[in-house]
Amino acid sequence: TPEQEEKDLSLPAQLRILRRVAQENNWLVVAEFSDVGTGTSMRHRPGLVAAMSLGCKDRLVTKLLVHKLDRFARHLPTHLALKVRLNEHGVQLVSAVEHLEETPMGQFLEHIMAASAEFYSANLSLEIRKGLEERLLRGLWSGPAPVGYLRTEHGPILDPARAGHVRYLFEAWATGTKTTTELEAELFARGFVGCNGGRVPARYLCEILHNPFYAGKMRVRGV
């Protein structure tokens, strides 16, 4: 995950184990791949996509070594589909931690481990959602702080650098005499800028004006 990557703990430790396993088995390492993120979709796994691509194109590649099966995939259908693709190209999936055997019993146990990884991921997501819902029921905000606020451990607080601009936006809009396009230019002249230092687009100002958070209500997933 990004947090583990920042602390320089997870990936280096996994790579050391993988290199040691390869060395002990006299396997030549032709490439190393990693993914930083928490997404289960292949769109968020460029390292895995590149590893699969190399394994399926280079006939000299005979093994794909992963730290654990849950580092390979946390979705059973994805695991099975990728495993079939590797087998079609003569590439064996090897785990540095789990012992996998190319026997009916070994494949059965591998499927159980892959299913367990999917259950862990799904259950973790459920527990996180439950925690967020509990925070909301207590009136605690859990998402990114809206514009004009700063996120803290105890909830959003006013951002002294931007709160005044947001307040002016509402006051000016409430007069009914200005369009959001006019306010875009006016706020920029007052020093209200986006992340890139440019103007905050009128369409984004409309999103701020329609956000019920500024009326003291928290809208999450349509509720």
Side-chain angles (χ1 to χ4, degrees):
T1 66
E3 291 79 9
Q4 291 171 324
E5 171 70 4
E6 289 176 5
K7 295 178 181 178
D8 197 36
L9 293 174
S10 184
L11 285 179
Q14 292 182 42
L15 284 170
R16 280 195 299 272
I17 294 173
L18 292 169
R19 290 165 183 161
R20 185 175 68 243
V21 171
Q23 185 178 20
E24 291 172 351
N25 288 276
N26 294 318
W27 295 336
L28 174 65
V29 178
V30 296
E32 295 177 348
F33 303 93
S34 63
D35 283 314
V36 177
T38 57
T40 57
S41 169
M42 293 294 285
R43 294 194 304 272
H44 303 125
R45 299 288 305 278
L48 178 57
V49 171
M52 291 294 300
S53 178
L54 178 64
C56 295
K57 290 180 180 178
D58 191 335
R59 295 184 179 180
L60 296 178
V61 175
T62 60
K63 298 180 187 341
L64 175 58
L65 177 63
V66 298
H67 179 243
K68 292 177 65 178
L69 289 181
D70 63 6
R71 303 296 89 188
F72 178 63
R74 284 191 172 178
H75 185 228
L76 182 57
T78 301
H79 176 98
L80 296 176
L82 295 178
K83 181 74 181 294
V84 168
R85 188 177 171 197
L86 289 173
N87 289 343
E88 289 174 347
H89 291 83
V91 180
Q92 178 187 7
L93 177 64
V94 182
S95 169
V97 177
E98 298 106 346
H99 180 62
L100 306 178
E101 294 182 353
E102 291 298 323
T103 64
M105 179 58 72
Q107 293 177 10
F108 174 64
L109 293 175
E110 179 183 335
H111 294 171
I112 291 178
M113 287 186 283
S116 297
E118 180 177 15
F119 168 76
Y120 174 82
S121 179
N123 189 60
L124 179 62
S125 177
L126 177 61
E127 292 300 319
I128 291 175
R129 285 201 301 270
K130 284 168 56 179
L132 292 177
E133 289 174 0
E134 181 62 28
R135 283 183 58 85
L136 289 170
L137 289 173
R138 296 181 183 182
L140 301 174
W141 182 248
S142 298
V147 179
Y149 289 88
L150 296 173
R151 181 176 178 176
T152 71
E153 187 176 336
H154 304 291
I157 62 173
L158 286 177
D159 178 358
R162 297 167 73 83
H165 295 302
V166 176
R167 186 179 293 112
Y168 176 80
L169 167 65
F170 276 94
E171 291 173 349
W173 176 255
T175 65
T177 61
K178 298 178 184 293
T179 67
T180 51
T181 301
E182 291 172 335
L183 286 170
E184 174 187 329
E186 192 171 332
L187 284 166
F188 180 68
R190 293 171 63 95
F192 185 54
V193 297
C195 297
N196 59 357
R199 294 187 179 190
V200 177
R203 66 177 183 278
Y204 192 53
L205 296 181
C206 288
E207 292 180 12
I208 294 176
L209 291 167
H210 283 86
N211 189 344
F213 187 93
Y214 298 99
K217 300 178 181 180
M218 298 183 290
R219 179 175 59 199
V220 181
R221 294 190 293 274
V223 178

